[in-house]
């Protein structure tokens, strides 16, 4: 095909336009702050990368599972015929105790499809004012679903006070001026609160409050397996306390791609249709699900080590002049530290850390360090020492 060949040559010789380059130049932000710029494909694998637990690369056993996948292990998932995705969804139902499960490409899509499955246009989603859905999911529930978000105050431990929920609810049933509530959303662990873990007692109180008033409860459980590990309970104990949930395979669990929605069968059927509408229908998606199955089988017992490393790091930096960290607020794998006036400007500290082999991201009014499968306990003192050097004037 001459035209096709010429088009290929033109595209190869054309000046490349890199979205990532533009974002870095424009000071890409997470929260209200500049984050460390993307290092690109040539980034050194020797860096201690604490920017996020999404930075994990597939484990050798995940790559082995992918290599051993046969044609018979794959099919068209839009037709429901990919046996590996079907097996992943079966295993998830078994682990969580939920009636049905649905593999989706991302956590954002999972939360969006879940909220729109619970809420109709013109209804309201009650959620925390520090929640991931409110801050980092592009307003999708409103833009695409016509669902308004009612942000409620979030306590330092990630909880939304029941009193705030009751106040939001109190006039809704009979007030024609107010949007009816369609769903309550919780987040566990809580990202913007530094990985804080909601207690089972608190989740149970929200569940009971919502059931009494006829509202479903959705859990943004991107790191729900971290929550279960921190609480020392099976993931089923967390999932029992919500109507539906989304959890990520690609964060603490270390798989490269994917999240899973769980809930009642009728709810998941609605979410399945929404997944298609949102462009999330996969064909031979078993190539992703195979690694997700390994993540579910092998990684949950390892999460406690990530939490231990995070706590050790917080302890190691607690006495550094110019650094403030609350060691007792480190519930899981996330550490949020803040700089005092004694330290250099935050952007300079992030840059110095990068120069010393440690990647972090500026986050809200501090710096976030996330411990995960690709970093180990031997790197804790190295990262702490790099921070000590970075904040010295």
């Amino acid at each position: 095909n001459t035209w096709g060949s010429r088009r290929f040559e033109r595209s190869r010789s054309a000046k490349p336009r890199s979205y990532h380059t533009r974002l870095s130049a424009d000071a890409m932000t997470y929260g209200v702050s500049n984050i460390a710029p993307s290092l690109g494909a040539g980034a050194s694998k020797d860096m201690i990368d604490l920017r996020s637990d999404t930075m994990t690369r597939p484990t050798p056993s995940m790559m082995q599972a992918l290599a051993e996948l046969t044609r018979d292990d794959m099919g068209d998932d839009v037709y429901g015929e990919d046996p590996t995705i079907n097996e992943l969804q079966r295993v998830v139902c078994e682990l969580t105790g939920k009636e049905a499960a649905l593999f989706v490409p991302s956590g954002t899509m999972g939360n969006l499809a879940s909220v729109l499955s619970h809420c109709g246009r013109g209804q309201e989603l009650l959620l925390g004012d520090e929640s991931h859905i409110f801050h980092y999911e592009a307003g999708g529930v409103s833009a695409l679903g016509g669902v308004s978000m009612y942000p409620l105050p979030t306590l330092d431990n990630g909880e939304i006070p029941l009193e705030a929920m009751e106040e939001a609810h109190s006039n809704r049933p009979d007030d024609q001026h107010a949007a009816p509530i369609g769903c309550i959303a919780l987040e566990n662990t809580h990202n913007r609160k530094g990985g804080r873990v909601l207690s089972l007692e608190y989740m149970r109180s929200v569940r009971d409050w919502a059931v009494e008033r006829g509202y479903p409860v959705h859990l943004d459980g991107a790191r729900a397996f971290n929550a279960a590990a921190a609480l020392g309970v099976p993931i089923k104990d967390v999932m029992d306390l919500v109507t539906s949930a989304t959890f990520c395979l690609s964060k603490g669990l270390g798989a490269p791609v994917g999240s899973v929605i769980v809930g009642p069968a009728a709810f998941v059927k609605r979410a399945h249709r929404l997944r298609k509408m949102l462009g999330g229908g996969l064909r031979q998606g078993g190539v992703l699900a195979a690694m997700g199955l390994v993540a579910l089988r092998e990684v949950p017992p390892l999460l406690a080590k990530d939490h231990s490393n995070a706590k050790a790091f917080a302890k190691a930096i607690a006495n550094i002049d110019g650094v403030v960290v609350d060691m007792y607020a480190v519930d899981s794998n996330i550490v949020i530290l803040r700089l005092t006036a004694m330290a250099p400007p935050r952007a300079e500290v992030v840059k110095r850390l990068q120069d010393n082999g440690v990647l972090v991201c500026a986050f809200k009014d501090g710096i976030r360090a996330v411990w995960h499968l690709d970093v180990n306990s031997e790197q804790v003192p190295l990262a702490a020492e790099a921070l000590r050097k970075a904040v010295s004037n």
Side-chain angles (χ1 to χ4, degrees):
N1 186 317
T2 303
W3 178 82
S5 300
R6 287 177 180 171
R7 182 178 63 168
F8 174 70
E9 291 298 329
R10 277 184 60 189
S11 67
R12 254 197 335 187
S13 60
K15 184 178 180 180
R17 297 177 62 189
S18 170
Y19 185 56
H20 291 288
T21 301
R22 182 178 69 79
L23 282 176
S24 296
D26 292 347
M28 183 165 61
T29 60
Y30 195 150
V32 297
S33 315
N34 300 339
I35 71 169
S38 167
L39 297 184
S44 170
K45 298 300 184 289
D46 294 329
M47 301 289 282
I48 301 173
D49 197 339
L50 304 177
R51 288 174 294 175
S52 175
D53 43 10
T54 60
M55 298 299 170
T56 55
R57 296 178 298 277
T59 64
S61 53
M62 291 178 193
M63 297 303 295
Q64 183 67 26
L66 182 59
E68 293 175 355
L69 208 62
T70 70
R71 290 170 59 88
D72 290 340
D73 296 322
M74 292 180 284
D76 192 326
D77 185 52
V78 173
Y79 285 79
E81 294 177 1
D82 189 294
T84 310
I85 286 184
N86 291 341
E87 175 64 6
L88 173 73
Q89 291 168 170
R90 185 196 68 77
V91 168
V92 167
C93 288
E94 189 175 274
L95 287 172
T96 63
K98 291 301 187 187
E99 190 176 10
L102 180 69
F103 181 72
V104 292
S106 72
T108 294
M109 182 181 288
N111 283 333
L112 176 57
S114 295
V115 171
L116 300 193
S117 296
H118 286 307
C119 299
R121 299 188 70 84
Q123 287 192 301
E124 200 159 56
L125 172 68
L126 296 189
L127 77 175
D129 61 355
E130 292 277 41
S131 66
H132 195 279
I133 293 175
F134 185 62
H135 281 273
Y136 302 129
E137 299 186 9
V141 298
S142 301
L144 302 180
V147 176
S148 60
M149 290 184 276
Y150 191 136
L152 300 172
T154 308
L155 302 179
D156 286 342
N157 63 1
E159 295 179 0
I160 304 169
L162 280 175
E163 296 79 9
M165 294 185 197
E166 182 59 32
E167 183 178 350
H169 157 82
S170 58
N171 294 322
R172 287 308 194 263
D174 302 314
D175 187 350
Q176 63 180 328
H177 303 91
I181 296 168
C183 182
I184 318 295
L186 299 177
E187 185 175 332
N188 199 10
T189 66
H190 200 290
N191 178 41
R192 279 176 65 88
K193 291 301 182 180
R196 297 302 300 268
V197 176
L198 303 182
S199 70
L200 296 182
E201 292 74 21
Y202 169 74
M203 292 185 67
R204 187 173 294 107
S205 69
V206 173
R207 189 271 312 272
D208 293 346
W209 178 90
V211 166
E212 187 176 325
R213 289 154 184 78
Y215 303 139
V217 178
H218 175 70
L219 178 67
D220 175 3
R223 298 180 176 92
F225 278 82
N226 288 89
L231 293 166
V233 300
I235 188 65
K236 182 179 182 298
D237 288 7
V238 176
M239 297 299 181
D240 278 348
L241 301 175
V242 293
T243 313
S244 64
T246 299
F247 69 84
C248 289
L249 296 166
S250 56
K251 287 193 168 72
L253 293 177
V257 180
S259 292
V260 184
I261 299 171
V262 296
F267 158 84
V268 170
K269 184 177 181 180
R270 294 192 297 272
H272 197 167
R273 180 178 180 85
L274 283 159
R275 184 187 72 172
K276 178 65 175 176
M277 187 185 300
L278 296 170
L282 299 174
R283 299 301 178 175
Q284 287 70 41
V287 295
L288 303 175
M291 291 183 279
L293 279 164
V294 175
L296 289 171
R297 181 173 65 246
E298 296 185 355
V299 179
L302 307 178
L303 295 175
K305 187 61 178 176
D306 296 337
H307 300 179
S308 175
N309 288 338
K311 291 172 183 178
F313 177 67
K315 183 177 180 180
I317 66 175
N319 295 321
I320 297 177
D321 291 339
V323 173
V324 175
V325 63
D326 183 356
M327 292 186 294
Y328 302 102
V330 180
D331 286 347
S332 56
N333 65 325
I334 299 175
V335 178
I336 303 289
L337 62 99
R338 291 172 176 80
L339 303 175
T340 70
M342 296 174 58
R346 182 174 56 177
E348 177 63 20
V349 172
V350 171
K351 177 64 168 59
R352 289 182 184 181
L353 279 166
Q354 180 177 327
D355 292 342
N356 282 282
V358 178
L359 296 174
V360 295
C361 73
F363 186 78
K364 297 178 66 179
D365 60 347
I367 290 174
R368 189 183 75 168
V370 185
W371 294 81
H372 52 77
L373 200 59
D374 277 7
V375 287
N376 57 56
S377 57
E378 294 177 357
Q379 293 170 310
V380 170
L382 300 178
E385 181 59 25
L387 180 62
R388 187 183 305 278
K389 293 177 180 178
V391 297
S392 61
N393 283 300

